[in-house]
mmCIF file of all heavy atoms in Angstrom:
data_model
loop_
_atom_site.group_PDB
_atom_site.id
_atom_site.type_symbol
_atom_site.label_atom_id
_atom_site.label_comp_id
_atom_site.label_asym_id
_atom_site.label_seq_id
_atom_site.Cartn_x
_atom_site.Cartn_y
_atom_site.Cartn_z
ATOM 1 N N GLY Q 302 -153.587 -87.346 24.075
ATOM 2 C CA GLY Q 302 -154.336 -86.389 23.291
ATOM 3 C C GLY Q 302 -153.440 -85.519 22.464
ATOM 4 O O GLY Q 302 -152.979 -85.879 21.394
ATOM 5 N N ALA Q 303 -153.124 -84.387 23.002
ATOM 6 C CA ALA Q 303 -152.403 -83.431 22.168
ATOM 7 C C ALA Q 303 -151.024 -83.140 22.696
ATOM 8 O O ALA Q 303 -150.588 -82.013 22.687
ATOM 9 C CB ALA Q 303 -153.201 -82.147 22.069
ATOM 10 N N LYS Q 304 -150.334 -84.123 23.144
ATOM 11 C CA LYS Q 304 -149.012 -83.802 23.655
ATOM 12 C C LYS Q 304 -147.934 -84.659 23.023
ATOM 13 O O LYS Q 304 -147.084 -85.191 23.692
ATOM 14 C CB LYS Q 304 -148.977 -83.978 25.165
ATOM 15 C CG LYS Q 304 -149.978 -83.052 25.831
ATOM 16 C CD LYS Q 304 -149.801 -83.065 27.321
ATOM 17 C CE LYS Q 304 -150.488 -81.886 27.940
ATOM 18 N NZ LYS Q 304 -151.914 -82.070 28.134
ATOM 19 N N PRO Q 305 -147.964 -84.797 21.771
ATOM 20 C CA PRO Q 305 -146.860 -85.557 21.161
ATOM 21 C C PRO Q 305 -145.559 -84.813 21.240
ATOM 22 O O PRO Q 305 -144.509 -85.411 21.336
ATOM 23 C CB PRO Q 305 -147.324 -85.747 19.720
ATOM 24 C CG PRO Q 305 -148.291 -84.643 19.493
ATOM 25 C CD PRO Q 305 -148.910 -84.308 20.797
ATOM 26 N N GLU Q 306 -145.637 -83.515 21.224
ATOM 27 C CA GLU Q 306 -144.382 -82.761 21.224
ATOM 28 C C GLU Q 306 -143.656 -82.961 22.535
ATOM 29 O O GLU Q 306 -142.453 -82.993 22.591
ATOM 30 C CB GLU Q 306 -144.634 -81.277 20.982
ATOM 31 C CG GLU Q 306 -145.542 -80.630 22.002
ATOM 32 C CD GLU Q 306 -146.989 -80.889 21.692
ATOM 33 O OE1 GLU Q 306 -147.262 -81.462 20.644
ATOM 34 O OE2 GLU Q 306 -147.843 -80.516 22.496
ATOM 35 N N ALA Q 307 -144.405 -83.112 23.574
ATOM 36 C CA ALA Q 307 -143.739 -83.346 24.858
ATOM 37 C C ALA Q 307 -142.956 -84.629 24.815
ATOM 38 O O ALA Q 307 -141.832 -84.717 25.255
ATOM 39 C CB ALA Q 307 -144.760 -83.371 25.977
ATOM 40 N N ALA Q 308 -143.576 -85.614 24.229
ATOM 41 C CA ALA Q 308 -142.885 -86.895 24.138
ATOM 42 C C ALA Q 308 -141.680 -86.783 23.247
ATOM 43 O O ALA Q 308 -140.610 -87.286 23.533
ATOM 44 C CB ALA Q 308 -143.835 -87.951 23.617
ATOM 45 N N GLY Q 309 -141.878 -86.062 22.161
ATOM 46 C CA GLY Q 309 -140.747 -85.911 21.251
ATOM 47 C C GLY Q 309 -139.606 -85.206 21.934
ATOM 48 O O GLY Q 309 -138.464 -85.589 21.859
ATOM 49 N N VAL Q 310 -139.967 -84.179 22.655
ATOM 50 C CA VAL Q 310 -138.937 -83.445 23.391
ATOM 51 C C VAL Q 310 -138.270 -84.370 24.371
ATOM 52 O O VAL Q 310 -137.074 -84.409 24.537
ATOM 53 C CB VAL Q 310 -139.583 -82.253 24.113
ATOM 54 C CG1 VAL Q 310 -138.639 -81.702 25.145
ATOM 55 C CG2 VAL Q 310 -139.958 -81.187 23.109
ATOM 56 N N LEU Q 311 -139.077 -85.140 25.001
ATOM 57 C CA LEU Q 311 -138.563 -86.060 26.001
ATOM 58 C C LEU Q 311 -137.546 -86.979 25.395
ATOM 59 O O LEU Q 311 -136.471 -87.183 25.910
ATOM 60 C CB LEU Q 311 -139.732 -86.871 26.546
ATOM 61 C CG LEU Q 311 -139.496 -87.452 27.906
ATOM 62 C CD1 LEU Q 311 -139.363 -86.314 28.862
ATOM 63 C CD2 LEU Q 311 -140.683 -88.312 28.283
ATOM 64 N N LEU Q 312 -137.899 -87.529 24.275
ATOM 65 C CA LEU Q 312 -137.008 -88.480 23.656
ATOM 66 C C LEU Q 312 -135.741 -87.808 23.209
ATOM 67 O O LEU Q 312 -134.651 -88.301 23.403
ATOM 68 C CB LEU Q 312 -137.703 -89.127 22.461
ATOM 69 C CG LEU Q 312 -138.812 -90.081 22.884
ATOM 70 C CD1 LEU Q 312 -139.630 -90.468 21.683
ATOM 71 C CD2 LEU Q 312 -138.201 -91.296 23.531
ATOM 72 N N ALA Q 313 -135.927 -86.637 22.639
ATOM 73 C CA ALA Q 313 -134.734 -85.947 22.173
ATOM 74 C C ALA Q 313 -133.829 -85.650 23.350
ATOM 75 O O ALA Q 313 -132.626 -85.819 23.299
ATOM 76 C CB ALA Q 313 -135.123 -84.664 21.452
ATOM 77 N N GLU Q 314 -134.446 -85.233 24.425
ATOM 78 C CA GLU Q 314 -133.637 -84.929 25.591
ATOM 79 C C GLU Q 314 -133.009 -86.166 26.159
ATOM 80 O O GLU Q 314 -131.902 -86.160 26.630
ATOM 81 C CB GLU Q 314 -134.498 -84.269 26.649
ATOM 82 C CG GLU Q 314 -134.717 -82.829 26.347
ATOM 83 C CD GLU Q 314 -135.642 -82.226 27.355
ATOM 84 O OE1 GLU Q 314 -136.451 -82.967 27.930
ATOM 85 O OE2 GLU Q 314 -135.526 -81.033 27.558
ATOM 86 N N GLY Q 315 -133.789 -87.222 26.123
ATOM 87 C CA GLY Q 315 -133.231 -88.465 26.647
ATOM 88 C C GLY Q 315 -131.960 -88.807 25.928
ATOM 89 O O GLY Q 315 -130.943 -89.149 26.503
ATOM 90 N N ARG Q 316 -132.015 -88.647 24.646
ATOM 91 C CA ARG Q 316 -130.825 -88.974 23.885
ATOM 92 C C ARG Q 316 -129.726 -87.973 24.159
ATOM 93 O O ARG Q 316 -128.564 -88.326 24.296
ATOM 94 C CB ARG Q 316 -131.149 -88.958 22.399
ATOM 95 C CG ARG Q 316 -131.983 -90.145 21.997
ATOM 96 C CD ARG Q 316 -132.530 -89.941 20.615
ATOM 97 N NE ARG Q 316 -133.143 -91.146 20.132
ATOM 98 C CZ ARG Q 316 -132.523 -92.014 19.374
ATOM 99 N NH1 ARG Q 316 -131.283 -91.800 19.020
ATOM 100 N NH2 ARG Q 316 -133.141 -93.091 18.944
ATOM 101 N N CYS Q 317 -130.091 -86.747 24.238
ATOM 102 C CA CYS Q 317 -129.002 -85.781 24.323
ATOM 103 C C CYS Q 317 -128.408 -85.755 25.712
ATOM 104 O O CYS Q 317 -127.246 -85.453 25.871
ATOM 105 C CB CYS Q 317 -129.448 -84.394 23.898
ATOM 106 S SG CYS Q 317 -130.797 -83.781 24.848
ATOM 107 N N THR Q 318 -129.186 -86.087 26.708
ATOM 108 C CA THR Q 318 -128.546 -86.157 28.012
ATOM 109 C C THR Q 318 -127.586 -87.302 28.073
ATOM 110 O O THR Q 318 -126.588 -87.268 28.759
ATOM 111 C CB THR Q 318 -129.583 -86.317 29.122
ATOM 112 O OG1 THR Q 318 -130.455 -87.383 28.765
ATOM 113 C CG2 THR Q 318 -130.368 -85.039 29.280
ATOM 114 N N GLU Q 319 -127.894 -88.306 27.328
ATOM 115 C CA GLU Q 319 -126.915 -89.382 27.266
ATOM 116 C C GLU Q 319 -125.663 -88.911 26.581
ATOM 117 O O GLU Q 319 -124.572 -89.359 26.871
ATOM 118 C CB GLU Q 319 -127.478 -90.582 26.532
ATOM 119 C CG GLU Q 319 -128.490 -91.329 27.352
ATOM 120 C CD GLU Q 319 -129.416 -92.079 26.469
ATOM 121 O OE1 GLU Q 319 -129.019 -92.358 25.322
ATOM 122 O OE2 GLU Q 319 -130.535 -92.362 26.888
ATOM 123 N N LEU Q 320 -125.871 -87.995 25.680
ATOM 124 C CA LEU Q 320 -124.706 -87.532 24.950
ATOM 125 C C LEU Q 320 -123.815 -86.649 25.792
ATOM 126 O O LEU Q 320 -122.636 -86.539 25.564
ATOM 127 C CB LEU Q 320 -125.156 -86.748 23.715
ATOM 128 C CG LEU Q 320 -125.796 -87.606 22.643
ATOM 129 C CD1 LEU Q 320 -126.269 -86.747 21.510
ATOM 130 C CD2 LEU Q 320 -124.781 -88.618 22.154
ATOM 131 N N ARG Q 321 -124.437 -86.025 26.758
ATOM 132 C CA ARG Q 321 -123.654 -85.048 27.488
ATOM 133 C C ARG Q 321 -122.404 -85.607 28.126
ATOM 134 O O ARG Q 321 -121.342 -85.030 28.001
ATOM 135 C CB ARG Q 321 -124.534 -84.406 28.557
ATOM 136 C CG ARG Q 321 -125.433 -83.403 27.934
ATOM 137 C CD ARG Q 321 -126.410 -82.865 28.930
ATOM 138 N NE ARG Q 321 -127.112 -81.747 28.342
ATOM 139 C CZ ARG Q 321 -127.186 -80.551 28.884
ATOM 140 N NH1 ARG Q 321 -126.591 -80.332 30.016
ATOM 141 N NH2 ARG Q 321 -127.836 -79.585 28.302
ATOM 142 N N PRO Q 322 -122.546 -86.680 28.819
ATOM 143 C CA PRO Q 322 -121.279 -87.185 29.376
ATOM 144 C C PRO Q 322 -120.280 -87.503 28.287
ATOM 145 O O PRO Q 322 -119.084 -87.435 28.496
ATOM 146 C CB PRO Q 322 -121.684 -88.425 30.144
ATOM 147 C CG PRO Q 322 -123.112 -88.653 29.844
ATOM 148 C CD PRO Q 322 -123.667 -87.441 29.222
ATOM 149 N N MET Q 323 -120.799 -87.844 27.165
ATOM 150 C CA MET Q 323 -119.893 -88.078 26.060
ATOM 151 C C MET Q 323 -119.108 -86.825 25.749
ATOM 152 O O MET Q 323 -117.933 -86.865 25.421
ATOM 153 C CB MET Q 323 -120.672 -88.489 24.814
ATOM 154 C CG MET Q 323 -121.471 -89.754 24.982
ATOM 155 S SD MET Q 323 -120.397 -91.115 25.373
ATOM 156 C CE MET Q 323 -121.559 -92.309 25.899
ATOM 157 N N ASP Q 324 -119.786 -85.737 25.841
ATOM 158 C CA ASP Q 324 -119.094 -84.493 25.485
ATOM 159 C C ASP Q 324 -117.941 -84.228 26.419
ATOM 160 O O ASP Q 324 -116.936 -83.649 26.056
ATOM 161 C CB ASP Q 324 -120.076 -83.324 25.545
ATOM 162 C CG ASP Q 324 -121.233 -83.540 24.615
ATOM 163 O OD1 ASP Q 324 -121.050 -84.300 23.646
ATOM 164 O OD2 ASP Q 324 -122.294 -82.991 24.862
ATOM 165 N N ALA Q 325 -118.139 -84.643 27.622
ATOM 166 C CA ALA Q 325 -117.070 -84.353 28.573
ATOM 167 C C ALA Q 325 -115.815 -85.146 28.259
ATOM 168 O O ALA Q 325 -114.716 -84.758 28.619
ATOM 169 C CB ALA Q 325 -117.551 -84.664 29.985
ATOM 170 N N LEU Q 326 -115.995 -86.220 27.587
ATOM 171 C CA LEU Q 326 -114.823 -87.027 27.268
ATOM 172 C C LEU Q 326 -114.258 -86.561 25.938
ATOM 173 O O LEU Q 326 -114.948 -86.573 24.944
ATOM 174 C CB LEU Q 326 -115.215 -88.495 27.183
ATOM 175 C CG LEU Q 326 -115.829 -89.048 28.470
ATOM 176 C CD1 LEU Q 326 -116.354 -90.427 28.235
ATOM 177 C CD2 LEU Q 326 -114.810 -89.029 29.580
ATOM 178 N N PRO Q 327 -113.071 -86.179 25.945
ATOM 179 C CA PRO Q 327 -112.517 -85.526 24.742
ATOM 180 C C PRO Q 327 -112.510 -86.425 23.514
ATOM 181 O O PRO Q 327 -112.637 -85.950 22.411
ATOM 182 C CB PRO Q 327 -111.095 -85.138 25.165
ATOM 183 C CG PRO Q 327 -110.813 -85.934 26.384
ATOM 184 C CD PRO Q 327 -112.106 -86.223 27.029
ATOM 185 N N THR Q 328 -112.360 -87.694 23.711
ATOM 186 C CA THR Q 328 -112.187 -88.514 22.525
ATOM 187 C C THR Q 328 -113.489 -88.850 21.841
ATOM 188 O O THR Q 328 -113.504 -89.383 20.757
ATOM 189 C CB THR Q 328 -111.503 -89.834 22.900
ATOM 190 O OG1 THR Q 328 -112.280 -90.437 23.935
ATOM 191 C CG2 THR Q 328 -110.102 -89.553 23.411
ATOM 192 N N LEU Q 329 -114.563 -88.529 22.459
ATOM 193 C CA LEU Q 329 -115.824 -88.936 21.872
ATOM 194 C C LEU Q 329 -116.229 -87.975 20.785
ATOM 195 O O LEU Q 329 -115.755 -86.834 20.737
ATOM 196 C CB LEU Q 329 -116.900 -89.006 22.950
ATOM 197 C CG LEU Q 329 -116.712 -90.254 23.807
ATOM 198 C CD1 LEU Q 329 -117.568 -90.207 25.020
ATOM 199 C CD2 LEU Q 329 -116.998 -91.492 23.006
ATOM 200 N N PRO Q 330 -117.124 -88.416 19.960
ATOM 201 C CA PRO Q 330 -117.497 -87.566 18.807
ATOM 202 C C PRO Q 330 -117.952 -86.207 19.294
ATOM 203 O O PRO Q 330 -118.686 -86.093 20.260
ATOM 204 C CB PRO Q 330 -118.659 -88.321 18.144
ATOM 205 C CG PRO Q 330 -118.949 -89.475 19.000
ATOM 206 C CD PRO Q 330 -117.817 -89.716 19.887
ATOM 207 N N PRO Q 331 -117.466 -85.219 18.673
ATOM 208 C CA PRO Q 331 -117.706 -83.854 19.142
ATOM 209 C C PRO Q 331 -119.096 -83.368 18.785
ATOM 210 O O PRO Q 331 -119.888 -84.090 18.208
ATOM 211 C CB PRO Q 331 -116.645 -83.043 18.421
ATOM 212 C CG PRO Q 331 -116.423 -83.813 17.155
ATOM 213 C CD PRO Q 331 -116.665 -85.251 17.467
ATOM 214 N N GLY Q 332 -119.246 -82.181 19.094
ATOM 215 C CA GLY Q 332 -120.462 -81.441 19.162
ATOM 216 C C GLY Q 332 -121.538 -81.526 18.161
ATOM 217 O O GLY Q 332 -122.607 -80.986 18.381
ATOM 218 N N GLY Q 333 -121.331 -82.167 17.064
ATOM 219 C CA GLY Q 333 -122.423 -82.189 16.103
ATOM 220 C C GLY Q 333 -123.684 -82.730 16.729
ATOM 221 O O GLY Q 333 -124.791 -82.260 16.519
ATOM 222 N N LEU Q 334 -123.536 -83.677 17.557
ATOM 223 C CA LEU Q 334 -124.699 -84.258 18.200
ATOM 224 C C LEU Q 334 -125.155 -83.439 19.385
ATOM 225 O O LEU Q 334 -126.248 -83.590 19.868
ATOM 226 C CB LEU Q 334 -124.379 -85.679 18.670
ATOM 227 C CG LEU Q 334 -124.113 -86.643 17.527
ATOM 228 C CD1 LEU Q 334 -123.499 -87.909 18.032
ATOM 229 C CD2 LEU Q 334 -125.385 -86.924 16.785
ATOM 230 N N VAL Q 335 -124.301 -82.598 19.835
ATOM 231 C CA VAL Q 335 -124.672 -81.831 21.029
ATOM 232 C C VAL Q 335 -125.743 -80.826 20.685
ATOM 233 O O VAL Q 335 -126.494 -80.402 21.529
ATOM 234 C CB VAL Q 335 -123.438 -81.105 21.595
ATOM 235 C CG1 VAL Q 335 -123.780 -80.428 22.893
ATOM 236 C CG2 VAL Q 335 -122.322 -82.107 21.804
ATOM 237 N N ASP Q 336 -125.824 -80.465 19.432
ATOM 238 C CA ASP Q 336 -126.810 -79.450 19.072
ATOM 239 C C ASP Q 336 -128.204 -79.874 19.469
ATOM 240 O O ASP Q 336 -129.063 -79.070 19.747
ATOM 241 C CB ASP Q 336 -126.759 -79.204 17.566
ATOM 242 C CG ASP Q 336 -125.433 -78.603 17.173
ATOM 243 O OD1 ASP Q 336 -124.787 -78.009 18.049
ATOM 244 O OD2 ASP Q 336 -125.062 -78.748 16.015
ATOM 245 N N ILE Q 337 -128.404 -81.132 19.486
ATOM 246 C CA ILE Q 337 -129.748 -81.584 19.787
ATOM 247 C C ILE Q 337 -130.115 -81.274 21.216
ATOM 248 O O ILE Q 337 -131.269 -81.235 21.575
ATOM 249 C CB ILE Q 337 -129.853 -83.080 19.495
ATOM 250 C CG1 ILE Q 337 -129.521 -83.273 18.017
ATOM 251 C CG2 ILE Q 337 -131.229 -83.608 19.788
ATOM 252 C CD1 ILE Q 337 -129.224 -84.647 17.643
ATOM 253 N N SER Q 338 -129.106 -81.081 21.978
ATOM 254 C CA SER Q 338 -129.402 -80.787 23.380
ATOM 255 C C SER Q 338 -130.040 -79.438 23.544
ATOM 256 O O SER Q 338 -130.388 -79.045 24.631
ATOM 257 C CB SER Q 338 -128.126 -80.839 24.209
ATOM 258 O OG SER Q 338 -127.266 -79.790 23.791
ATOM 259 N N ALA Q 339 -130.171 -78.720 22.479
ATOM 260 C CA ALA Q 339 -130.834 -77.425 22.579
ATOM 261 C C ALA Q 339 -132.333 -77.572 22.713
ATOM 262 O O ALA Q 339 -133.065 -76.612 22.696
ATOM 263 C CB ALA Q 339 -130.502 -76.581 21.346
ATOM 264 N N SER Q 340 -132.786 -78.767 22.787
ATOM 265 C CA SER Q 340 -134.229 -78.956 22.909
ATOM 266 C C SER Q 340 -134.721 -78.242 24.153
ATOM 267 O O SER Q 340 -134.011 -78.138 25.132
ATOM 268 C CB SER Q 340 -134.551 -80.439 22.997
ATOM 269 O OG SER Q 340 -133.889 -81.006 24.097
ATOM 270 N N PRO Q 341 -135.929 -77.767 24.097
ATOM 271 C CA PRO Q 341 -136.430 -76.968 25.223
ATOM 272 C C PRO Q 341 -136.490 -77.794 26.490
ATOM 273 O O PRO Q 341 -136.644 -78.987 26.461
ATOM 274 C CB PRO Q 341 -137.842 -76.574 24.792
ATOM 275 C CG PRO Q 341 -138.181 -77.512 23.713
ATOM 276 C CD PRO Q 341 -136.913 -77.899 23.052
#
Side-chain angles (χ1 to χ4, degrees):
Chain Q
K304 299 189 163 82
E306 59 278 354
V310 165
L311 203 65
L312 289 169
E314 281 176 334
R316 287 168 171 264
C317 58
T318 50
E319 286 155 23
L320 290 177
R321 283 174 171 234
M323 300 300 166
D324 301 336
L326 301 172
T328 55
L329 285 169
L334 294 167
V335 186
D336 295 337
I337 301 164
S338 66
S340 58

